Amino acid sequence: NVNIGDGSNNPAISVTVALTVTNSLTIHGELILNTHNLTLTGATLTILGTLTLKGSETLTGFTNDVSNGGTVKYNSPSNLTGLIAGNTYASLYMAPSSGIPTYKITGTTTVSGIFVVLAGTFDTNSQTLTVTGACTVVNANITATSSATMSLGSLSVSGTSVFAAPTTLNVGNVSFGTGGTFTHNSGSVVLSGTNVAITGIALTFFNFNFNSPGGTLTFTPAICNTFNGLLSLTGASGNLLNLRSATPTSQFGIKIASTQCLSYLDVQDR
C-alpha cells in the first residue's frame, strides 16, 4: 500500500523512478510522476488530492478515480494529443510548467467537478466537452472547432485569454475580465439554469437563447452586449423572464443586430 499524505499532513511527492503499486494507492497530497511510469498491480486508486502528469508517462492497470473529488493535473511544457488518464475526471487542471503548449482531447471528455486552464491552449479537437462545475480560464486559450459541443456549469475568463466558442455552448453564468476575448464563431450560446448572469466586459454573441419562465438574466451595468444572430429570450404568460442590471437603477445595454424572438419579459434598468 502507498499513501501520499494522511489527510492532515499532505505533502507533494515527486518520484524519480518508475512506480509500481500493489493493493492500494491513496493520494491525499500530490503525487508528481514527472515522466516516470506508474503500474498498478491489482491496486485500488483513490485520489483525494492531486495526481500530476506530464502526459508522456505510461499508466498500466490504471483506471482514473472519479468518485472522491480529486484532481488530475497535466503540466507538460510540450503539446499533448490525448489525455493519458482517460476522458473522465472529477476535476481537471491544465497547468503547463513552462511554455505555451496546446493540449488536445481525442474523445468525448467529462469533468464532474471543475476544469481549470492556466496557460497555453486547450483544443476540443471536434470533441464534446462536458463540465458539471465551473470552467476557469486564466491567461490561456480554449479553442473549439465548428463541430464541437461544450456544456459548462459556468465560465470565467480572465487575463489575456481567448475563448473561441463551439457550434453549441451550453453554459450557466458567464464572466469575462478585462483583456479576455470571446469569439462566437457564428455559434449558439444556450443559457442553462434559472438565475444567470453575464458579467464583465462587453461581449458579442451570435445566436443566444435563454428560455426560463420566472428566471432572471443579469447584466453588468454600463456595458452593452451585442447579438449578431438570433436573440431568443422567452418567459411565459404570468411567469415572466426578468432582465436586470447587477446594480439596480444602473442601466445595461443590449444591441440587437439581426433577428429577435422576445416574449414575456420584465425589463428593468434598461
Side-chain angles (χ1 to χ4, degrees), residues 211-249:
N211 180 6
S212 183
T216 299
L217 177 56
T218 302
F219 296 94
T220 298
I223 291 294
C224 183
N225 293 290
T226 300
F227 302 87
N228 284 341
L230 171 62
L231 172 62
S232 178
L233 300 174
T234 309
S237 178
N239 200 19
L240 305 180
L241 170 60
N242 303 293
L243 304 187
R244 297 289 187 269
S245 168
T247 302
T249 73

Side-chain angles (χ1 to χ4, degrees), residues 4-186:
I4 309 298
D6 58 10
S8 298
N9 179 27
N10 301 315
I13 302 297
S14 181
V15 299
T16 57
V17 294
L19 182 63
T20 298
V21 180
T22 58
N23 295 325
S24 68
L25 171 59
T26 302
I27 304 170
H28 289 276
E30 182 178 9
L31 176 60
I32 305 167
L33 291 186
N34 197 27
T35 74
H36 300 289
N37 298 335
L38 172 64
T39 299
L40 301 179
T41 304
T44 300
L45 174 65
T46 301
I47 305 176
L48 299 163
T50 302
L51 173 63
T52 297
L53 306 167
K54 290 293 185 189
S56 59
E57 299 89 349
T58 297
L59 306 179
T60 303
F62 179 95
T63 300
N64 191 28
D65 173 26
V66 297
S67 301
N68 290 289
T71 297
V72 174
K73 179 195 298 181
Y74 290 87
N75 69 349
S76 173
S78 303
N79 296 339
L80 295 176
T81 300
L83 305 179
I84 62 170
N87 294 324
T88 306
Y89 296 85
S91 291
L92 177 62
Y93 274 62
M94 303 297 185
S97 58
S98 62
I100 48 173
T102 296
Y103 296 173
K104 294 182 179 182
I105 56 176
T106 54
T108 296
T109 300
T110 301
V111 182
S112 58
I114 63 173
F115 176 48
V116 179
V117 185
L118 296 178
T121 297
F122 175 78
D123 187 346
T124 62
N125 194 28
S126 301
Q127 305 298 322
T128 296
L129 173 68
T130 300
V131 180
T132 303
C135 174
T136 301
V137 186
V138 182
N139 292 320
N141 303 322
I142 288 187
T143 298
T145 52
S146 59
S147 59
T149 297
M150 192 180 299
S151 297
L152 309 175
S154 64
L155 173 62
S156 175
V157 177
S158 62
T160 54
S161 300
V162 176
F163 184 94
T167 298
T168 302
L169 171 62
N170 301 293
V171 65
N173 294 328
V174 175
S175 174
F176 271 72
T178 301
T181 301
F182 177 83
T183 304
H184 62 62
N185 287 332
S186 299

